[in-house]
Amino acid sequence: AQSVSQHNHHVILSEAASLELGCNYSYGGTVNLFWYVQYPGQHLQLLLKYFSGDPLVKGIKGFEAEFIKSKFSFNLRKPSVQWSDTAEYFCAVLDTGRRALTFGSGTRLQVQP
Amino acid sequence: DTAVSQTPKYLVTQMGNDKSIKCEQNLGHDTMYWYKQDSKKFLKIMFSYNNKELIINETVPNRFSPKSPDKAHLNLHINSLELGDSAVYLCASSPRAGTLSFSGNTIYFGEGSWLTVV
């Protein structure tokens, strides 16, 4: 069965600090990976996704993620965070058999001005 | 202009009541989903429908019954509500299931329906 682990449950950073959120997955099929963000009181929004090709994926708002197959990882990065990046971040893997996303437990990012 | 819209956004109700949450998408997608987000923000799929046909039916109590009158709508009816049903219920849609692995296709989520059972 597929699973996604996000080991950082709560991250607190100061503005301009660099960000890296960990995501490890377990899935036996073709890997399709996603990062979603949920700002307070808002809906889940797609940050970026990986299907194939270049393992370094760039998304919206300056985020990027790197797919490392040998490590079963898809970590999210941003060189310099802003206060507006305060949100919950979810990593997910597409279960192509069940045709649905399996999410990690989420990481709450708090950026202090 | 909202792509995936849910009603109501907030719902407070007593134990034992029956309630429904409605979802509509105007994206022309064939597949719709219900996810549950608990108090710890954990997201878990409950149901998915592809063009009105039930595809995924997770191990949720049979008090929960989805209904899809057409491919643009997926409603969730909950009977005999319990305290543990308090959560955020997220509706989502995507292009035809099976095409999700193609670049450009993704799952779009609604804003969620916050259900509180007292």
Side-chain angles (χ1 to χ4, degrees):
Chain A
Q2 71 288 341
S3 65
V4 178
S5 296
Q6 292 180 244
H7 305 294
N8 313 108
H9 297 295
H10 188 191
V11 173
I12 302 174
L13 294 173
S14 298
E15 275 194 313
S18 64
L19 170 72
E20 181 159 3
L21 300 182
C23 172
N24 289 93
Y25 66 91
S26 169
Y27 184 62
T30 301
V31 174
N32 301 136
L33 295 158
F34 302 77
W35 275 98
Y36 279 84
V37 61
Q38 189 174 35
Y39 297 104
Q42 295 189 28
H43 62 282
L44 280 168
Q45 299 173 42
L46 181 68
L47 271 180
L48 48 78
K49 57 190 175 185
Y50 170 80
F51 289 104
S52 63
D54 189 345
L56 185 61
V57 180
K58 294 195 183 298
I60 62 171
K61 305 188 181 188
F63 286 91
E64 64 178 31
E66 186 174 12
F67 169 57
I68 303 180
K69 189 175 180 179
S70 61
K71 295 185 178 180
F72 300 93
S73 70
F74 189 55
N75 292 353
L76 181 70
R77 300 195 292 245
K78 185 170 184 179
S80 175
V81 295
Q82 300 172 315
W83 178 78
S84 58
D85 293 323
T86 294
E88 194 89 20
Y89 291 80
F90 294 92
C91 183
V93 65
L94 176 65
D95 183 339
T96 53
R98 295 168 70 240
R99 295 174 285 186
L101 292 172
T102 297
F103 285 90
S105 55
T107 298
R108 183 180 164 214
L109 171 65
Q110 191 176 341
V111 180
Q112 296 175 330
Chain B
D1 286 316
T2 304
V4 183
S5 58
Q6 301 179 223
T7 55
K9 186 167 183 179
Y10 300 100
L11 181 57
V12 181
T13 188
Q14 290 188 325
M15 277 195 304
N17 283 351
D18 303 337
K19 291 293 177 187
S20 292
I21 305 171
K22 296 185 177 182
C23 179
E24 177 182 4
Q25 54 94 4
N26 61 7
L27 296 165
H29 289 166
D30 290 293
T31 305
M32 296 185 73
Y33 309 80
W34 278 112
Y35 279 81
K36 181 180 179 180
Q37 187 172 36
D38 63 22
S39 58
K40 295 183 179 179
K41 300 284 189 179
F42 188 69
L43 284 150
K44 194 169 191 300
I45 190 162
M46 300 174 69
F47 303 102
S48 77
Y49 269 76
N50 184 28
N51 204 8
K52 302 193 293 175
E53 178 189 353
L54 181 65
I55 302 297
I56 294 174
N57 185 355
E58 282 294 274
T59 52
V60 300
N62 57 16
R63 298 181 293 104
F64 289 79
S65 54
K67 280 191 172 55
S68 181
D70 55 61
K71 71 176 190 178
H73 296 84
L74 180 62
N75 304 324
L76 182 65
H77 188 75
I78 315 171
N79 289 326
S80 304
L81 278 156
E82 300 177 359
L83 292 176
D85 297 332
S86 295
V88 181
Y89 292 86
L90 293 166
C91 180
S93 75
S94 72
R96 183 171 57 86
T99 67
L100 279 174
S101 58
F102 291 97
S103 181
N105 291 333
T106 190
I107 295 180
Y108 294 86
F109 286 84
E111 293 190 351
S113 294
W114 300 67
L115 172 65
T116 302
V117 183
V118 297

PDB file of all heavy atoms in Angstrom, chain A residues 84-113:
ATOM      1  N   SER A  84       3.930  35.602   4.317  1.00  0.00           N
ATOM      2  CA  SER A  84       2.731  35.102   3.620  1.00  0.00           C
ATOM      3  C   SER A  84       2.815  33.614   3.280  1.00  0.00           C
ATOM      4  O   SER A  84       1.832  33.034   2.804  1.00  0.00           O
ATOM      5  CB  SER A  84       2.490  35.909   2.338  1.00  0.00           C
ATOM      6  OG  SER A  84       3.629  35.835   1.493  1.00  0.00           O
ATOM      7  N   ASP A  85       3.969  32.997   3.501  1.00  0.00           N
ATOM      8  CA  ASP A  85       4.094  31.552   3.270  1.00  0.00           C
ATOM      9  C   ASP A  85       3.581  30.734   4.450  1.00  0.00           C
ATOM     10  O   ASP A  85       3.554  29.497   4.388  1.00  0.00           O
ATOM     11  CB  ASP A  85       5.555  31.176   2.994  1.00  0.00           C
ATOM     12  CG  ASP A  85       6.056  31.741   1.676  1.00  0.00           C
ATOM     13  OD1 ASP A  85       5.272  31.785   0.708  1.00  0.00           O
ATOM     14  OD2 ASP A  85       7.249  32.127   1.619  1.00  0.00           O
ATOM     15  N   THR A  86       3.189  31.407   5.516  1.00  0.00           N
ATOM     16  CA  THR A  86       2.619  30.704   6.667  1.00  0.00           C
ATOM     17  C   THR A  86       1.391  29.926   6.221  1.00  0.00           C
ATOM     18  O   THR A  86       0.428  30.493   5.702  1.00  0.00           O
ATOM     19  CB  THR A  86       2.225  31.715   7.767  1.00  0.00           C
ATOM     20  OG1 THR A  86       3.399  32.332   8.272  1.00  0.00           O
ATOM     21  CG2 THR A  86       1.481  31.020   8.904  1.00  0.00           C
ATOM     22  N   ALA A  87       1.445  28.610   6.408  1.00  0.00           N
ATOM     23  CA  ALA A  87       0.386  27.740   5.884  1.00  0.00           C
ATOM     24  C   ALA A  87       0.690  26.301   6.281  1.00  0.00           C
ATOM     25  O   ALA A  87       1.706  26.008   6.910  1.00  0.00           O
ATOM     26  CB  ALA A  87       0.300  27.841   4.366  1.00  0.00           C
ATOM     27  N   GLU A  88      -0.215  25.421   5.888  1.00  0.00           N
ATOM     28  CA  GLU A  88      -0.023  23.979   6.054  1.00  0.00           C
ATOM     29  C   GLU A  88       0.376  23.431   4.680  1.00  0.00           C
ATOM     30  O   GLU A  88      -0.243  23.768   3.670  1.00  0.00           O
ATOM     31  CB  GLU A  88      -1.335  23.343   6.520  1.00  0.00           C
ATOM     32  CG  GLU A  88      -1.221  21.948   7.056  1.00  0.00           C
ATOM     33  CD  GLU A  88      -0.933  21.893   8.554  1.00  0.00           C
ATOM     34  OE1 GLU A  88      -1.193  22.887   9.262  1.00  0.00           O
ATOM     35  OE2 GLU A  88      -0.440  20.837   8.996  1.00  0.00           O
ATOM     36  N   TYR A  89       1.404  22.580   4.667  1.00  0.00           N
ATOM     37  CA  TYR A  89       1.915  22.039   3.413  1.00  0.00           C
ATOM     38  C   TYR A  89       1.750  20.518   3.406  1.00  0.00           C
ATOM     39  O   TYR A  89       2.123  19.842   4.370  1.00  0.00           O
ATOM     40  CB  TYR A  89       3.398  22.408   3.225  1.00  0.00           C
ATOM     41  CG  TYR A  89       3.578  23.890   2.986  1.00  0.00           C
ATOM     42  CD1 TYR A  89       3.569  24.787   4.049  1.00  0.00           C
ATOM     43  CD2 TYR A  89       3.729  24.391   1.698  1.00  0.00           C
ATOM     44  CE1 TYR A  89       3.702  26.156   3.835  1.00  0.00           C
ATOM     45  CE2 TYR A  89       3.864  25.756   1.472  1.00  0.00           C
ATOM     46  CZ  TYR A  89       3.844  26.630   2.544  1.00  0.00           C
ATOM     47  OH  TYR A  89       3.967  27.973   2.327  1.00  0.00           O
ATOM     48  N   PHE A  90       1.203  20.013   2.305  1.00  0.00           N
ATOM     49  CA  PHE A  90       0.917  18.588   2.199  1.00  0.00           C
ATOM     50  C   PHE A  90       1.624  18.004   0.984  1.00  0.00           C
ATOM     51  O   PHE A  90       1.511  18.514  -0.125  1.00  0.00           O
ATOM     52  CB  PHE A  90      -0.586  18.350   2.033  1.00  0.00           C
ATOM     53  CG  PHE A  90      -1.415  18.742   3.220  1.00  0.00           C
ATOM     54  CD1 PHE A  90      -1.957  20.015   3.314  1.00  0.00           C
ATOM     55  CD2 PHE A  90      -1.641  17.846   4.252  1.00  0.00           C
ATOM     56  CE1 PHE A  90      -2.714  20.395   4.414  1.00  0.00           C
ATOM     57  CE2 PHE A  90      -2.402  18.212   5.348  1.00  0.00           C
ATOM     58  CZ  PHE A  90      -2.939  19.491   5.434  1.00  0.00           C
ATOM     59  N   CYS A  91       2.304  16.900   1.225  1.00  0.00           N
ATOM     60  CA  CYS A  91       2.894  16.121   0.154  1.00  0.00           C
ATOM     61  C   CYS A  91       1.917  14.989  -0.179  1.00  0.00           C
ATOM     62  O   CYS A  91       1.215  14.482   0.724  1.00  0.00           O
ATOM     63  CB  CYS A  91       4.235  15.554   0.623  1.00  0.00           C
ATOM     64  SG  CYS A  91       5.140  14.621  -0.611  1.00  0.00           S
ATOM     65  N   ALA A  92       1.841  14.598  -1.439  1.00  0.00           N
ATOM     66  CA  ALA A  92       0.902  13.542  -1.812  1.00  0.00           C
ATOM     67  C   ALA A  92       1.457  12.722  -2.962  1.00  0.00           C
ATOM     68  O   ALA A  92       2.221  13.229  -3.795  1.00  0.00           O
ATOM     69  CB  ALA A  92      -0.450  14.143  -2.210  1.00  0.00           C
ATOM     70  N   VAL A  93       1.063  11.471  -2.991  1.00  0.00           N
ATOM     71  CA  VAL A  93       1.426  10.578  -4.090  1.00  0.00           C
ATOM     72  C   VAL A  93       0.148  10.108  -4.752  1.00  0.00           C
ATOM     73  O   VAL A  93      -0.865   9.859  -4.083  1.00  0.00           O
ATOM     74  CB  VAL A  93       2.272   9.385  -3.596  1.00  0.00           C
ATOM     75  CG1 VAL A  93       1.482   8.482  -2.649  1.00  0.00           C
ATOM     76  CG2 VAL A  93       2.785   8.570  -4.782  1.00  0.00           C
ATOM     77  N   LEU A  94       0.168  10.028  -6.071  1.00  0.00           N
ATOM     78  CA  LEU A  94      -1.009   9.565  -6.802  1.00  0.00           C
ATOM     79  C   LEU A  94      -1.011   8.054  -6.849  1.00  0.00           C
ATOM     80  O   LEU A  94      -0.059   7.429  -7.305  1.00  0.00           O
ATOM     81  CB  LEU A  94      -0.988  10.133  -8.224  1.00  0.00           C
ATOM     82  CG  LEU A  94      -2.116   9.657  -9.142  1.00  0.00           C
ATOM     83  CD1 LEU A  94      -3.464  10.141  -8.633  1.00  0.00           C
ATOM     84  CD2 LEU A  94      -1.876  10.111 -10.578  1.00  0.00           C
ATOM     85  N   ASP A  95      -2.070   7.483  -6.356  1.00  0.00           N
ATOM     86  CA  ASP A  95      -2.268   6.047  -6.470  1.00  0.00           C
ATOM     87  C   ASP A  95      -2.975   5.816  -7.801  1.00  0.00           C
ATOM     88  O   ASP A  95      -4.173   6.014  -7.909  1.00  0.00           O
ATOM     89  CB  ASP A  95      -3.126   5.559  -5.288  1.00  0.00           C
ATOM     90  CG  ASP A  95      -3.328   4.059  -5.292  1.00  0.00           C
ATOM     91  OD1 ASP A  95      -3.179   3.430  -6.365  1.00  0.00           O
ATOM     92  OD2 ASP A  95      -3.652   3.509  -4.243  1.00  0.00           O
ATOM     93  N   THR A  96      -2.212   5.404  -8.811  1.00  0.00           N
ATOM     94  CA  THR A  96      -2.804   5.291 -10.145  1.00  0.00           C
ATOM     95  C   THR A  96      -3.815   4.148 -10.211  1.00  0.00           C
ATOM     96  O   THR A  96      -4.711   4.179 -11.033  1.00  0.00           O
ATOM     97  CB  THR A  96      -1.716   5.093 -11.208  1.00  0.00           C
ATOM     98  OG1 THR A  96      -0.887   3.997 -10.831  1.00  0.00           O
ATOM     99  CG2 THR A  96      -0.852   6.342 -11.327  1.00  0.00           C
ATOM    100  N   GLY A  97      -3.665   3.169  -9.324  1.00  0.00           N
ATOM    101  CA  GLY A  97      -4.629   2.070  -9.310  1.00  0.00           C
ATOM    102  C   GLY A  97      -5.994   2.522  -8.805  1.00  0.00           C
ATOM    103  O   GLY A  97      -7.026   2.217  -9.394  1.00  0.00           O
ATOM    104  N   ARG A  98      -5.993   3.260  -7.704  1.00  0.00           N
ATOM    105  CA  ARG A  98      -7.231   3.745  -7.121  1.00  0.00           C
ATOM    106  C   ARG A  98      -7.620   5.101  -7.660  1.00  0.00           C
ATOM    107  O   ARG A  98      -8.689   5.623  -7.358  1.00  0.00           O
ATOM    108  CB  ARG A  98      -7.098   3.812  -5.598  1.00  0.00           C
ATOM    109  CG  ARG A  98      -6.927   2.450  -4.965  1.00  0.00           C
ATOM    110  CD  ARG A  98      -6.519   2.551  -3.526  1.00  0.00           C
ATOM    111  NE  ARG A  98      -7.590   3.043  -2.675  1.00  0.00           N
ATOM    112  CZ  ARG A  98      -7.521   4.159  -1.951  1.00  0.00           C
ATOM    113  NH1 ARG A  98      -6.453   4.913  -1.993  1.00  0.00           N
ATOM    114  NH2 ARG A  98      -8.523   4.534  -1.189  1.00  0.00           N
ATOM    115  N   ARG A  99      -6.708   5.696  -8.439  1.00  0.00           N
ATOM    116  CA  ARG A  99      -6.958   6.980  -9.095  1.00  0.00           C
ATOM    117  C   ARG A  99      -7.312   8.063  -8.076  1.00  0.00           C
ATOM    118  O   ARG A  99      -8.273   8.812  -8.223  1.00  0.00           O
ATOM    119  CB  ARG A  99      -8.061   6.845 -10.142  1.00  0.00           C
ATOM    120  CG  ARG A  99      -7.643   5.933 -11.292  1.00  0.00           C
ATOM    121  CD  ARG A  99      -8.765   5.661 -12.256  1.00  0.00           C
ATOM    122  NE  ARG A  99      -9.715   4.712 -11.701  1.00  0.00           N
ATOM    123  CZ  ARG A  99     -10.734   4.222 -12.396  1.00  0.00           C
ATOM    124  NH1 ARG A  99     -10.932   4.598 -13.631  1.00  0.00           N
ATOM    125  NH2 ARG A  99     -11.558   3.373 -11.827  1.00  0.00           N
ATOM    126  N   ALA A 100      -6.506   8.142  -7.024  1.00  0.00           N
ATOM    127  CA  ALA A 100      -6.722   9.160  -6.006  1.00  0.00           C
ATOM    128  C   ALA A 100      -5.405   9.479  -5.327  1.00  0.00           C
ATOM    129  O   ALA A 100      -4.431   8.742  -5.438  1.00  0.00           O
ATOM    130  CB  ALA A 100      -7.735   8.668  -4.976  1.00  0.00           C
ATOM    131  N   LEU A 101      -5.392  10.607  -4.648  1.00  0.00           N
ATOM    132  CA  LEU A 101      -4.193  11.031  -3.930  1.00  0.00           C
ATOM    133  C   LEU A 101      -4.165  10.460  -2.522  1.00  0.00           C
ATOM    134  O   LEU A 101      -5.182  10.425  -1.837  1.00  0.00           O
ATOM    135  CB  LEU A 101      -4.150  12.562  -3.835  1.00  0.00           C
ATOM    136  CG  LEU A 101      -3.941  13.338  -5.134  1.00  0.00           C
ATOM    137  CD1 LEU A 101      -4.117  14.826  -4.880  1.00  0.00           C
ATOM    138  CD2 LEU A 101      -2.559  13.068  -5.698  1.00  0.00           C
ATOM    139  N   THR A 102      -2.964  10.041  -2.108  1.00  0.00           N
ATOM    140  CA  THR A 102      -2.717   9.717  -0.707  1.00  0.00           C
ATOM    141  C   THR A 102      -1.822  10.814  -0.149  1.00  0.00           C
ATOM    142  O   THR A 102      -0.752  11.076  -0.694  1.00  0.00           O
ATOM    143  CB  THR A 102      -2.029   8.347  -0.577  1.00  0.00           C
ATOM    144  OG1 THR A 102      -2.908   7.340  -1.071  1.00  0.00           O
ATOM    145  CG2 THR A 102      -1.698   8.059   0.875  1.00  0.00           C
ATOM    146  N   PHE A 103      -2.281  11.433   0.934  1.00  0.00           N
ATOM    147  CA  PHE A 103      -1.575  12.582   1.492  1.00  0.00           C
ATOM    148  C   PHE A 103      -0.708  12.195   2.680  1.00  0.00           C
ATOM    149  O   PHE A 103      -1.003  11.244   3.417  1.00  0.00           O
ATOM    150  CB  PHE A 103      -2.586  13.633   1.979  1.00  0.00           C
ATOM    151  CG  PHE A 103      -3.248  14.406   0.880  1.00  0.00           C
ATOM    152  CD1 PHE A 103      -4.433  13.953   0.307  1.00  0.00           C
ATOM    153  CD2 PHE A 103      -2.699  15.589   0.416  1.00  0.00           C
ATOM    154  CE1 PHE A 103      -5.046  14.671  -0.709  1.00  0.00           C
ATOM    155  CE2 PHE A 103      -3.309  16.314  -0.598  1.00  0.00           C
ATOM    156  CZ  PHE A 103      -4.483  15.856  -1.161  1.00  0.00           C
ATOM    157  N   GLY A 104       0.353  12.989   2.893  1.00  0.00           N
ATOM    158  CA  GLY A 104       1.090  12.928   4.141  1.00  0.00           C
ATOM    159  C   GLY A 104       0.312  13.674   5.212  1.00  0.00           C
ATOM    160  O   GLY A 104      -0.738  14.266   4.945  1.00  0.00           O
ATOM    161  N   SER A 105       0.849  13.655   6.421  1.00  0.00           N
ATOM    162  CA  SER A 105       0.132  14.246   7.558  1.00  0.00           C
ATOM    163  C   SER A 105       0.220  15.760   7.601  1.00  0.00           C
ATOM    164  O   SER A 105      -0.427  16.397   8.430  1.00  0.00           O
ATOM    165  CB  SER A 105       0.662  13.658   8.864  1.00  0.00           C
ATOM    166  OG  SER A 105       2.067  13.837   8.932  1.00  0.00           O
ATOM    167  N   GLY A 106       1.010  16.347   6.718  1.00  0.00           N
ATOM    168  CA  GLY A 106       1.086  17.795   6.647  1.00  0.00           C
ATOM    169  C   GLY A 106       2.181  18.376   7.528  1.00  0.00           C
ATOM    170  O   GLY A 106       2.562  17.796   8.552  1.00  0.00           O
ATOM    171  N   THR A 107       2.699  19.525   7.115  1.00  0.00           N
ATOM    172  CA  THR A 107       3.668  20.290   7.904  1.00  0.00           C
ATOM    173  C   THR A 107       3.146  21.697   8.055  1.00  0.00           C
ATOM    174  O   THR A 107       2.836  22.361   7.064  1.00  0.00           O
ATOM    175  CB  THR A 107       5.057  20.342   7.224  1.00  0.00           C
ATOM    176  OG1 THR A 107       5.575  19.027   7.117  1.00  0.00           O
ATOM    177  CG2 THR A 107       6.006  21.218   8.027  1.00  0.00           C
ATOM    178  N   ARG A 108       3.041  22.121   9.292  1.00  0.00           N
ATOM    179  CA  ARG A 108       2.607  23.495   9.538  1.00  0.00           C
ATOM    180  C   ARG A 108       3.823  24.396   9.541  1.00  0.00           C
ATOM    181  O   ARG A 108       4.748  24.207  10.346  1.00  0.00           O
ATOM    182  CB  ARG A 108       1.877  23.582  10.876  1.00  0.00           C
ATOM    183  CG  ARG A 108       1.324  24.969  11.164  1.00  0.00           C
ATOM    184  CD  ARG A 108       0.612  25.027  12.494  1.00  0.00           C
ATOM    185  NE  ARG A 108       0.427  26.421  12.899  1.00  0.00           N
ATOM    186  CZ  ARG A 108       0.448  26.865  14.138  1.00  0.00           C
ATOM    187  NH1 ARG A 108       0.641  26.024  15.125  1.00  0.00           N
ATOM    188  NH2 ARG A 108       0.256  28.134  14.408  1.00  0.00           N
ATOM    189  N   LEU A 109       3.855  25.352   8.617  1.00  0.00           N
ATOM    190  CA  LEU A 109       4.956  26.316   8.541  1.00  0.00           C
ATOM    191  C   LEU A 109       4.495  27.649   9.112  1.00  0.00           C
ATOM    192  O   LEU A 109       3.468  28.184   8.700  1.00  0.00           O
ATOM    193  CB  LEU A 109       5.403  26.513   7.089  1.00  0.00           C
ATOM    194  CG  LEU A 109       6.413  27.653   6.856  1.00  0.00           C
ATOM    195  CD1 LEU A 109       7.726  27.341   7.563  1.00  0.00           C
ATOM    196  CD2 LEU A 109       6.640  27.880   5.368  1.00  0.00           C
ATOM    197  N   GLN A 110       5.260  28.143  10.037  1.00  0.00           N
ATOM    198  CA  GLN A 110       4.980  29.447  10.639  1.00  0.00           C
ATOM    199  C   GLN A 110       6.181  30.348  10.375  1.00  0.00           C
ATOM    200  O   GLN A 110       7.302  30.033  10.791  1.00  0.00           O
ATOM    201  CB  GLN A 110       4.768  29.270  12.137  1.00  0.00           C
ATOM    202  CG  GLN A 110       4.222  30.469  12.858  1.00  0.00           C
ATOM    203  CD  GLN A 110       3.969  30.150  14.327  1.00  0.00           C
ATOM    204  OE1 GLN A 110       3.872  28.986  14.734  1.00  0.00           O
ATOM    205  NE2 GLN A 110       3.882  31.181  15.139  1.00  0.00           N
ATOM    206  N   VAL A 111       5.942  31.436   9.644  1.00  0.00           N
ATOM    207  CA  VAL A 111       7.025  32.368   9.334  1.00  0.00           C
ATOM    208  C   VAL A 111       6.819  33.620  10.165  1.00  0.00           C
ATOM    209  O   VAL A 111       5.774  34.268  10.103  1.00  0.00           O
ATOM    210  CB  VAL A 111       7.046  32.723   7.832  1.00  0.00           C
ATOM    211  CG1 VAL A 111       8.187  33.707   7.560  1.00  0.00           C
ATOM    212  CG2 VAL A 111       7.204  31.475   6.989  1.00  0.00           C
ATOM    213  N   GLN A 112       7.837  33.939  10.952  1.00  0.00           N
ATOM    214  CA  GLN A 112       7.749  35.101  11.829  1.00  0.00           C
ATOM    215  C   GLN A 112       8.372  36.315  11.158  1.00  0.00           C
ATOM    216  O   GLN A 112       9.438  36.203  10.553  1.00  0.00           O
ATOM    217  CB  GLN A 112       8.453  34.798  13.153  1.00  0.00           C
ATOM    218  CG  GLN A 112       7.763  33.672  13.915  1.00  0.00           C
ATOM    219  CD  GLN A 112       8.495  33.266  15.174  1.00  0.00           C
ATOM    220  OE1 GLN A 112       9.716  33.385  15.245  1.00  0.00           O
ATOM    221  NE2 GLN A 112       7.766  32.768  16.150  1.00  0.00           N
ATOM    222  N   PRO A 113       7.686  37.468  11.245  1.00  0.00           N
ATOM    223  CA  PRO A 113       8.210  38.669  10.574  1.00  0.00           C
ATOM    224  C   PRO A 113       9.487  39.172  11.252  1.00  0.00           C
ATOM    225  O   PRO A 113       9.800  38.820  12.368  1.00  0.00           O
ATOM    226  CB  PRO A 113       7.075  39.686  10.718  1.00  0.00           C
ATOM    227  CG  PRO A 113       6.183  39.161  11.788  1.00  0.00           C
ATOM    228  CD  PRO A 113       6.402  37.688  11.915  1.00  0.00           C
TER     229      PRO A 113
END
